[in-house]
Structures are given as structure tokens and as C-alpha cells.
Amino acid sequence: MQNGKDKPPSYFYYRKFLILFVFSLLLSCIINIQQPYTQGEYQLGDIARENIKSPADLYAPLGDITIKKDEVIVREGERISEEHLRKLSAFNLLEKGEGFTLKRFIVIFFVLFLFVIVLYEYGEKNIKKFSLTQKDLIFCATLTLLSIFLARGFSLVFDHYAPNHTLTLFYIIPIFFYGIILRIVLFSEVAILFSTVFAVALGFSFDSSITVLLYAFLGNVLASYFSGKCENRNTILKAGLYTSFVISFFVLLLDVLSGQPLSNLPMKIAFIILNGVASSFIALGFLPVIEHLFDYTTDIKLLELANFENPLLEEMMVNAPGTYHHSIIVGNLSKAAAESIGAHPLLARVSAYYHDIGKLKMPHYFIENRTGVEDPHKELTPSMSALIILNHVKEGVELAEKYKLGRKITEVVRQHHGKSLVSYFYSKAKELEDPKLHTIKEQDFRYAGPKPQTKETGIIMLADAVEAASRVLEDPTPKRIESHVQGIIENIFLDGQLDESELTLKDLNAIQKSFIAILLGIFHHRIEYPERTQNGGVDKKLSKVDSDRQQEHSKTYKRITNLFRASR
């Protein structure tokens, strides 16, 4: 996928600043949400344990409360009334700070906006794989806002009902799902950069706490790390648990460093483990919604599409069996090749299953689906035959969109032939061309493209060509298979079809070796078993008892078969 680093500025280049501006503005609003007053430690009817004095002058317009410095709010032994609770709430706000102020809001907004812009621009210019479309950016901003809003909501509840235990209760807030979702939906570079933004915003939400910032950043980076290769739903559950275990040790170190008492540590660890489990379940619940709303193809969706009972694969198995078996072999070749170069094996394998779904429209026009049927291309001109072959890519894209296979697989269907030439019908057309007219143009016999934009699509292009050509390979000895694979890869490379796929020469060498290993397994030699005879050759002469038993069995079998014949 091209990241646009070398492209001229487009509308998205300017619109991304607007998106980040709105994102920073909304994030600042969420961070600065404050309660008008909090209830405090005491409840209505409680007995005050000590005198409570105001440390400073305080005026709360919302509660119409005025408190002078050193004024006694509640005297020791006095029963708490509603008036006391109102003053205690204002007093709690005074202890926490000034609440919402325009100055604080503006400063936090500019700090966040500058921080987000610098971080995003750094990723765009210096991290090779950091490439976000407008949809990706909106998704990251939306997920961050929802996650901060969730954490802020929990903190306000804790402030209201347990103001003296807010910092301990903070660890029960599920925040690790943020890193899990970003890693599964997008990729690790995005998870790291936006986890940094998330951690800074969360730190501001909790009185600029460096402990909260470090906890949130490291926790989400670990969560994204443990959910990296998500090939089943258990991976998400393990990611939450593993993250909570590591973070528990990290919190222990922070408490020791800050000199806090360790009496609350068991409770904190229990909260962190609950955080990890809850984050896993939240991620599992959110992922299907995200896939539907933003049209993302996650690893979990790929696993669902890999099921051979998928309607498209079942239809292909019945109506285009040759294409179906070809796609399965291409999937195996692609997976092995992707593993050899560090690409995405699951994406390569599942995309290969669907890369030729466009052939379902007119399956008998493709040779692998013809079994003794007359060639329909005999009645067509080479140009018309080429048009039918070329059109299977367009029809495949339409089917992928109809069955909602996702953008990644749809792009593989669109790009797996690149701009390659349908050489058979082009050569046939050149043979029938009038040499004086020169009406046959090579461009008319090439696929529309684009060329493969990812390593996985490039691998599928190579696997598709290798598997199709290997069907006509005579006497598939190891040496001949090696030359055959090498020749096909070289031709595709020299035709420039892999120029935009980020595949290197080293990658192509590894892909070639993996293809050869798979094909050697497919075309391995078998021994020829001798035909078994009754009493000569390999069979020993039967004993008289066994011979009589076999003859009796033969007579019974003949009577049964004659009975069926008579009934017809």
C-alpha cells in the first residue's frame, strides 16, 4: 500500500489537520469535564470524626456557597446535614483544584493539538509502515475519544462515591482494550503512536499524573504486542491476562519508587487483573461492530472467511471446481511464501481463496473448469475472448463488495493480475492481424490494474502464475520444477508487475524456495503397485478350505447381482 509520502499534497493533506484539530478540541472537552460538586467522604446522618476547616476562601456559584478561610465547615461529633454535604463538596473541589477553568481548557487544548500534530507528522515522514487513510484517522480519533470518555466517566463516579480511593480504583478501569483493538484492526506502528496520545490524555484527566501516563502507555503497548498474531479469539483473552500480569509487576516497582505503602498492593493487582479480563471482553464485543461500521478486515474476520462453508466458496466448489482447487493450492503456496518473508500468512492464504471469484460468472470460459466440454472460445474472436478473461477481475471485485469480504481482500481481487498481459489471446490476435493495419494494441490485452500494492498481493500474483503453469509441466523432476518456478518469477519481475509491492530480491528468492518446496511435495513420485492376481504372481496359493470358502462367497455374490439385474 502506498503511503503517499512522495505524492503531491492532496485534499486529505489539509483535511487531516482539521480532523486532528477537532479531535484535540473534543479530547480537551472530555478531559476538563468536572462535577459541579462531589459528595465527599461523609454521608447524610454520619457523625464527624474531626473538625474540618477550609484552607482558603471559596465561592461556588453553582451551589451558592461562600466559605471563608479557616472557617469550620463541620465540628467534631456533629451530625452531617445536607448543608454540611454541600459545603464539603465545595471543599473537596478546592482540595482537587479549581475545577473547570477556561485557562486550563485552552492550555490543554493547545498542548494536545501540538503534541498530536508533531507525533503524527513524525510518523508520516519517518516510519515506513505508518500510513493512515482518512477513514483510519477518523477511526483512531473516535476510538481514542470513546476510551478517554469511558475512563473519565469512571473517574467521576469514583470521585463522587469514594473520593479517598480514586487512585486505587483507577486500576480497575478497563483501558487495555484500546491497544488490543488498534493492533488487530490496523498495525503496530499506529498502536504505539496513538497509545502515546491516549496515555498523555489520560494523564491530564487524572491531575497530570506521571504514574497514570506510564501505566496507560506501557499497558496498551503490551496489549498490542500480545495481540499481534490474532489467529483465534483466545489470543485476545490471553493478551489481556498477560498484559495485566506484566503491568502488576510494573505497578509494584512504581509504588516502591514513590515510597507508597504496599498495603493496597494486593487490591491494586486484583483490579489490574480484572482490568485485563474486562478489556479482552470489551475488545471481543467491539471488533464486530468496528468491522461493520468501518469496513475493516481483521484477523478474526479472516478466520471466518477461511471457513470452506462460506457461500462463495461453496458456490465455487460446485460451479467452478477447477478454480476452487486452484485457489486452495494458491492459498497454500501463498501462506508458505508469506511466512518465509515475514508477511501476513493468514491474509495471504484467505485472500488467495477468493482471488478468482470473478470466474463464477462464466466458469466454462476458463480452461480449468472444462471437463470434456467443447472450447467456447472457438466461436469467439481473440479480442472478445480476452475481454471475457480480463473482465473476471471486475466481476470479482463486484462479488467481493456484494458479499462484504472487506477492503483488503477486495484489493487483492482487483490487483492480483496487476497490468499483466493475456499473452495467449494476444499472440492469437497478432497471428490473425492484417500486417498492414496494425490494429491490435498490446494495451487492449492487459489487465486494468493497479499493480500489487502489498507484499501479500504480490505473493498471490506469483503463486497464481506458478500454480497455473505447473499444471502443464511435463515430467516434473526437481530440477525442472526449480527452473519452471524461477522462469515465471523472473518474467513477472521483468514485466514490472512487482514494482509497487515492496518485494525485494531477497524476498523473491525466499518465495521461490518456498514455492519449489510445496510443488515438490505435490509432484512427488509414487511407486507403481503390482496388480494382484488370484493364484499366480504375488498371491500365495490358497488352502483348500479357504478356496472353497472363497468360491462359495463368489456364488452368493453372483446370485445377489443377478437378482438386481433381473429386477431392472
Side-chain angles (χ1 to χ4, degrees):
M1 183 185 297
Q2 290 181 336
N3 55 20
K5 293 182 175 62
D6 300 324
K7 294 180 180 179
S10 62
Y11 73 98
F12 174 60
Y13 183 82
Y14 301 103
R15 289 182 67 178
K16 71 179 180 183
F17 287 102
L18 178 61
I19 294 171
L20 295 176
F21 178 87
V22 174
F23 167 64
S24 302
L25 186 65
L26 293 176
L27 198 58
S28 301
C29 291
I30 295 173
I31 290 172
N32 283 279
I33 293 176
Q34 299 286 345
Q35 297 185 84
Y37 58 86
T38 56
Q39 186 169 322
E41 180 182 358
Y42 289 108
Q43 305 294 325
L44 185 64
D46 290 347
I47 302 299
R49 295 184 294 272
E50 59 183 358
N51 289 338
I52 301 177
K53 295 182 179 181
S54 175
D57 293 337
L58 175 64
Y59 173 64
L62 292 176
D64 192 21
I65 297 171
T66 303
I67 302 175
K68 298 295 184 180
K69 184 178 179 181
D70 294 329
E71 178 184 341
V72 177
I73 300 174
V74 182
R75 297 185 181 279
E76 182 181 357
E78 192 174 359
R79 188 174 296 277
I80 303 297
S81 65
E82 291 186 2
E83 181 66 21
H84 290 146
L85 284 180
R86 293 175 62 240
K87 291 184 177 182
L88 284 174
S89 298
F91 172 59
N92 287 334
L93 274 183
L94 182 62
E95 284 189 325
K96 287 175 175 242
E98 299 177 357
F100 177 84
T101 62
L102 184 62
K103 176 182 176 182
R104 182 173 186 269
F105 170 80
I106 293 174
V107 171
I108 289 179
F109 163 69
F110 278 110
V111 168
L112 285 175
F113 182 61
L114 181 62
F115 182 75
V116 170
I117 287 292
V118 170
L119 206 62
Y120 184 85
E121 282 297 307
Y122 177 85
E124 278 265 302
K125 303 298 182 184
N126 298 283
I127 301 177
K128 186 177 182 181
K129 293 184 179 180
F130 186 86
S131 173
L132 294 181
T133 63
Q134 181 172 319
K135 180 183 75 172
D136 296 335
L137 189 57
I138 292 174
F139 163 70
C140 291
T142 304
L143 181 64
T144 306
L145 290 172
L146 288 175
S147 302
I148 294 295
F149 183 78
L150 175 67
R152 190 67 188 138
F154 272 103
S155 70
L156 292 177
V157 171
F158 297 154
D159 285 343
H160 186 76
Y161 291 104
N164 295 331
H165 304 285
T166 302
L167 291 179
T168 302
L169 290 170
F170 163 75
Y171 293 101
I172 203 174
I173 301 175
I175 61 172
F176 301 151
F177 73 90
Y178 181 80
I180 294 174
I181 290 177
L182 279 181
R183 179 64 183 87
I184 292 176
V185 174
L186 295 173
F187 40 90
S188 56
E189 289 79 7
V190 171
I192 292 175
L193 262 68
F194 274 89
S195 290
T196 308
V197 175
F198 176 78
V200 170
L202 204 61
F204 278 128
S205 299
F206 287 85
D207 299 325
S208 303
S209 172
I210 188 66
T211 301
V212 171
L213 189 152
L214 293 175
Y215 169 81
F217 174 73
L218 185 61
N220 281 290
V221 170
L222 284 170
S224 66
Y225 170 76
F226 288 124
S227 57
K229 291 186 177 180
C230 184
E231 297 191 355
N232 55 66
R233 296 184 187 275
N234 289 336
T235 302
I236 297 178
L237 295 175
K238 292 177 181 177
L241 284 175
Y242 294 165
T243 301
S244 62
F245 292 149
V246 178
I247 285 296
S248 296
F249 179 70
F250 178 71
V251 169
L252 169 63
L253 296 179
L254 287 179
D255 284 357
V256 172
L257 181 65
S258 59
Q260 294 186 18
L262 300 181
S263 57
N264 291 332
L265 188 62
M267 184 177 293
K268 287 183 180 179
I269 293 176
F271 286 165
I272 292 170
I273 293 174
L274 287 175
N275 179 354
V277 174
S279 294
S280 297
F281 281 105
I282 291 174
L284 285 170
F286 273 13
L287 282 173
V289 178
I290 292 169
E291 290 171 354
H292 178 74
L293 291 178
F294 291 92
D295 191 27
Y296 282 120
T297 306
T298 65
D299 285 358
I300 294 177
K301 186 174 182 179
L302 288 175
L303 288 171
E304 294 172 353
L305 293 174
N307 189 344
F308 291 128
E309 294 183 0
N310 183 279
L312 269 177
L313 294 181
E314 285 188 335
E315 184 180 352
M316 191 187 300
M317 186 189 303
V318 174
N319 298 326
T323 300
Y324 173 80
H325 290 290
H326 159 74
S327 299
I328 298 303
I329 297 175
V330 171
N332 294 334
L333 290 169
S334 301
K335 179 185 178 183
E339 288 175 344
S340 68
I341 65 170
H344 196 320
L346 181 62
L347 175 62
R349 175 169 65 89
V350 177
S351 299
Y353 290 166
Y354 295 90
H355 79 285
D356 270 342
I357 54 175
K359 294 181 179 180
L360 284 171
K361 294 287 186 179
M362 306 172 71
H364 57 287
Y365 279 93
F366 299 88
I367 191 170
E368 68 266 22
N369 297 315
R370 293 201 298 269
T371 54
V373 182
E374 186 177 353
D375 186 2
H377 289 286
K378 286 184 178 179
E379 306 297 328
L380 303 175
T381 63
S383 297
M384 182 58 67
S385 295
L387 184 61
I388 293 173
I389 301 299
L390 294 172
N391 204 42
H392 88 273
V393 171
K394 178 183 176 183
E395 291 169 341
V397 171
E398 291 175 355
L399 280 175
E401 292 174 347
K402 177 182 176 181
Y403 284 85
K404 297 181 179 180
L405 299 184
R407 180 174 58 89
K408 291 181 181 178
I409 294 180
T410 303
E411 290 304 312
V412 168
V413 174
R414 192 193 311 275
Q415 301 168 13
H416 78 277
H417 279 298
K419 295 184 178 181
S420 57
L421 179 69
V422 183
S423 56
Y424 176 80
F425 290 112
Y426 175 69
S427 300
K428 199 171 180 181
K430 293 297 287 185
E431 291 175 2
L432 300 175
E433 179 189 27
D434 187 341
K436 297 180 181 179
L437 296 179
H438 298 290
T439 56
I440 303 300
K441 297 180 181 179
E442 182 179 304
Q443 189 63 31
D444 296 335
F445 290 81
R446 285 189 177 273
Y447 287 94
K451 296 177 181 179
Q453 301 294 301
T454 63
K455 289 185 176 183
E456 290 79 13
T457 311
I459 289 171
I460 292 172
M461 169 184 272
L462 296 173
D464 186 24
V466 166
E467 199 284 329
S470 66
R471 291 172 177 263
V472 295
L473 188 62
E474 297 180 359
D475 189 20
T477 62
K479 187 65 178 176
R480 185 165 293 184
I481 290 174
E482 184 177 348
S483 300
H484 166 76
V485 172
Q486 183 177 354
I488 291 175
I489 293 178
E490 285 180 355
N491 289 337
I492 293 175
F493 174 75
L494 293 174
D495 193 33
Q497 299 303 317
L498 304 175
D499 291 350
E500 300 172 12
S501 66
E502 297 184 354
L503 288 173
T504 64
L505 293 176
K506 182 179 179 180
D507 292 337
L508 294 179
N509 184 49
I511 292 170
Q512 177 182 319
K513 289 180 179 179
S514 65
F515 284 171
I516 292 170
I518 297 290
L519 292 177
L520 286 176
I522 294 174
F523 293 108
H524 68 278
H525 292 285
R526 296 179 181 272
I527 62 172
E528 184 176 354
Y529 293 94
E531 183 179 356
R532 298 176 66 87
T533 58
Q534 182 61 36
N535 292 321
V538 297
D539 280 354
K540 293 182 179 180
K541 186 178 178 70
L542 298 174
S543 65
K544 188 176 187 308
V545 176
D546 291 338
S547 179
D548 292 341
R549 187 179 299 165
Q550 189 176 46
Q551 288 176 7
E552 182 65 26
H553 176 73
S554 178
K555 289 178 182 179
T556 304
Y557 176 76
K558 286 181 179 178
R559 285 198 298 270
I560 294 173
T561 56
N562 289 334
L563 177 64
F564 280 106
R565 287 174 183 170
S567 64
R568 281 186 292 179

